Amino acid sequence: DGAWPSDDETHAATGSFNAGSDPLALRVLFGSGVPLIFAPGFPSLMDLQLSRPEVEAWLSGRGPVSDAIYTRFLANPDLQPYGIGEYNEAGTSRIQWDIGCMVPFIAPGLLTTVRQPAVDIVQVAASCNGLFNSCEGVRPSYDSSGSGGGGVAIATSCATPNLDGASCRDGYFYPADPPRPDLIEIQVYWGIASPTSIMRDLLVKLQAAGL
């Protein structure tokens, strides 16, 4: 998954946890030319939400896979790095980001996809002064019609310096050069409130299989 849709020129492609953890791997993957199904975290994966009563009803004690998802829900992985621990409270829900990768194979009819031109990830060129100091850099302009920005540079703040403290970790989507096969990009997951919810469909399949 990545943080934003591939035609979004204003947000860093490396802005999500998974994409930002290994920007080099992200650039290699998108530049490889292999067929990709791309699930933007915002807003697409945000549809995949469950509450504690739902995971207790559907997952607890149902099988090894269900128990693993249930345990992960309760042992909130966002608590330590981000201080976000409210998902176990009444009236709250947690986005189950990683489940989105399984949906095209479990219930492909319950999502909406679109073909998008292939993209590269271009790193922000910046000279930073330490890990905790903000720094400014530049990146090429983006033409969503499919061509580059003609070498015009856009001033860009670096949100995430590399561990060396001297260069910038951020990268942005740009039209692929040379052109490559299109991406299949997920635009909409049908949410948990729907009777045809992909989350509910997944839970039913896990339960039926004793997992």
Side-chain angles (χ1 to χ4, degrees), residues 33-109:
V34 300
L36 291 176
I37 300 175
F38 174 54
F42 309 109
S44 299
L45 289 174
M46 294 176 69
D47 285 335
L48 305 178
Q49 301 191 36
L50 286 174
S51 66
R52 180 163 183 169
E54 287 167 325
V55 297
E56 288 177 342
W58 284 94
L59 300 175
S60 180
R62 299 290 185 175
V65 175
S66 295
D67 280 338
I69 298 173
Y70 175 70
T71 300
R72 183 171 175 82
F73 185 97
L74 297 185
N76 177 7
D78 294 335
L79 181 58
Q80 293 301 323
Y82 303 114
I84 301 173
E86 71 269 21
Y87 303 118
N88 289 331
E89 303 299 325
T92 65
S93 61
R94 184 178 191 278
I95 300 171
Q96 302 295 101
W97 306 98
D98 297 338
I99 288 176
C101 299
M102 298 185 280
V103 172
F105 307 100
I106 294 173

Side-chain angles (χ1 to χ4, degrees), residues 141-155:
S141 61
Y142 179 101
D143 182 349
S144 58
S145 67
S147 60
V152 178
I154 300 174

Side-chain angles (χ1 to χ4, degrees), residues 173-195:
F173 288 123
Y174 288 89
D177 184 18
R180 295 186 295 274
D182 290 345
L183 294 171
I184 303 299
E185 186 167 304
I186 296 171
Q187 286 193 319
V188 176
Y189 292 98
W190 303 111
I192 190 72
S194 167

